[in-house]
């Protein structure tokens, strides 16, 4: 049972720390995290759609 109480203690500390931060700091962190994410197609299907898109773009330009 010690492991269960440790998990609850850890989660409680994380929640309290999160709630003590000012709202502006949380919002900035959320926005920066959102900007760092990969594009949706790359995230879902890997590099293949991105590679196909680049190949077709090159064909259109020529």
């Amino acid at each position: 049972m010690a492991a269960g109480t440790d998990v609850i203690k850890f989660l409680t500390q994380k929640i309290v720390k999160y709630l003590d931060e000012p709202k502006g700091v949380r919002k900035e962190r959320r926005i920066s995290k959102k900007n760092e994410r990969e594009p949706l197609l790359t995230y879902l299907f890997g590099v293949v759609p991105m590679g196909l898109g680049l190949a077709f773009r090159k064909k259109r330009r020529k």
Side-chain angles (χ1 to χ4, degrees):
M1 280 308 233
T5 56
D6 289 342
V7 170
I8 291 173
K9 183 180 177 183
F10 173 76
L11 290 174
T12 306
Q13 288 173 344
K14 285 287 190 177
I15 290 170
V16 168
K17 184 180 174 185
Y18 177 79
L19 292 176
D20 283 344
E21 283 182 345
K23 191 174 182 177
V25 173
R26 286 185 274 169
K27 191 172 185 177
E28 281 185 28
R29 185 177 343 128
R30 193 176 321 127
I31 289 171
S32 68
K33 208 173 183 182
K34 190 175 182 179
N35 289 335
E36 292 175 0
R37 261 194 264 169
E38 302 175 32
L40 185 63
L41 281 178
T42 305
Y43 176 74
L44 292 177
F45 302 110
V47 183
V48 174
M50 185 179 72
L52 290 173
L54 289 173
F56 283 117
R57 275 191 208 155
K58 282 185 179 180
K59 274 190 168 181
R60 281 188 214 156
R61 288 183 186 168
K62 288 183 181 179

